[in-house]
Amino acid sequence: MTRWLPVLLWCTMLALSLWAWGRIPEGSLVPIHWNLSGQPDGWGSASTALGISPAMTLLVWTVLQVARRLDPRQQHVEQSRQALDAIVLMLTMFMTVIHGAMVAAALGVQFDMNRLLLTAMGLLFAALGNFLSKLRSNYFAGIRTPWTLSSERSWSRTHRLGGRLFVLVGLGTSLLGLLGFPLVAVAYLLIGLLSTTLYSVYYSYKVWKDESISK
């Protein structure tokens, strides 16, 4: 069922676009980008606003499906199937929320886009972090360093640690966004992601090195 939910969500996005299409006056410019103050600073046609999210979702979904099938570690990919399906679902749910917000904005609904976007983005990173530890080593999803790809121990421990850090970064971002501190939330997210990435790379090397010495 998890594998088909993204398709259902994508169809829902298309249906929402078709429903909104006839409700936007022809030739109208609608917001498609917002600044950190929550004010629209980018405008586009109705077709752009209603089509960009479904198009991006389809592109990401297609790339992930192709990469999954081309990965040389097919046994590990199959063992990671539930986690990979869940990750695709989380990404599609996030894009569906963003699409709904863009449609609402195109129809003139007033709301705080930054609060919605940062809250949803934080929850996305938290959800992705939760599933990181459930991935087996592969070449297209996860924390892929020379050391995680050459050592199962490094892969496992790095993803366990990295997953917890991603959850912390995601929940913190979501909370700050929900409370209405967009600048702090963005800074926390960027610093958290950079710190998590750098430390995960170092940690993957450390585990690999310790394993090499112990052999």
Side-chain angles (χ1 to χ4, degrees):
M1 183 62 178
T2 305
R3 304 194 76 177
W4 290 104
L5 280 176
V7 178
L8 179 61
L9 288 172
W10 187 75
C11 290
T12 302
M13 294 168 69
L14 286 183
L16 183 59
S17 292
L18 291 174
W19 173 82
W21 183 270
R23 289 166 171 77
I24 300 176
E26 185 175 353
S28 296
L29 290 178
V30 296
I32 58 174
H33 190 272
W34 288 257
N35 58 30
L36 288 177
S37 298
Q39 301 301 315
D41 63 356
W43 304 81
S45 63
S47 59
T48 299
L50 299 178
I52 187 170
S53 294
M56 289 181 61
T57 302
L58 181 61
L59 176 62
V60 171
W61 186 82
T62 302
V63 170
L64 288 176
Q65 293 302 317
V66 171
R68 176 189 290 196
R69 284 164 173 73
L70 294 179
D71 196 296
R73 296 184 178 178
Q74 281 299 306
Q75 183 178 357
H76 285 188
V77 170
E78 186 59 31
Q79 291 170 345
S80 306
R81 180 174 176 177
Q82 289 187 341
L84 291 171
D85 288 345
I87 288 172
V88 172
L89 176 59
M90 294 302 107
L91 290 170
T92 309
M93 289 176 64
F94 173 76
M95 292 303 298
T96 302
V97 170
I98 299 306
H99 182 58
M102 292 188 69
V103 170
L107 294 174
V109 178
Q110 299 295 317
F111 62 97
D112 190 336
M113 175 62 89
N114 280 346
R115 180 170 295 184
L116 174 65
L117 179 60
L118 288 168
T119 301
M121 187 176 297
L123 291 176
L124 172 64
F125 278 110
L128 295 179
N130 180 61
F131 289 105
L132 271 182
S133 62
K134 299 175 176 62
L135 293 175
R136 295 293 304 278
S137 61
N138 65 85
Y139 286 92
F140 79 97
I143 305 171
R144 302 176 307 283
T145 71
W147 309 288
T148 56
L149 291 174
S150 61
S151 166
E152 289 298 319
R153 179 184 296 181
S154 178
W155 177 280
S156 177
R157 292 189 178 182
T158 299
H159 281 72
R160 192 179 304 122
L161 173 67
R164 292 170 181 169
L165 294 176
F166 269 108
V167 169
L168 290 175
V169 171
L171 291 179
T173 301
S174 184
L175 179 61
L176 290 169
L178 187 62
L179 293 176
F181 300 106
L183 291 176
V184 179
V186 170
Y188 177 84
L189 175 63
L190 294 178
I191 294 173
L193 289 179
L194 179 60
S195 301
T196 296
T197 301
L198 293 177
Y199 188 72
S200 295
V201 171
Y202 161 74
Y203 186 75
S204 70
Y205 169 77
K206 182 179 182 300
V207 175
W208 172 83
K209 187 67 173 179
D210 291 345
E211 182 183 23
S212 300
I213 293 175
S214 65
K215 288 182 178 180

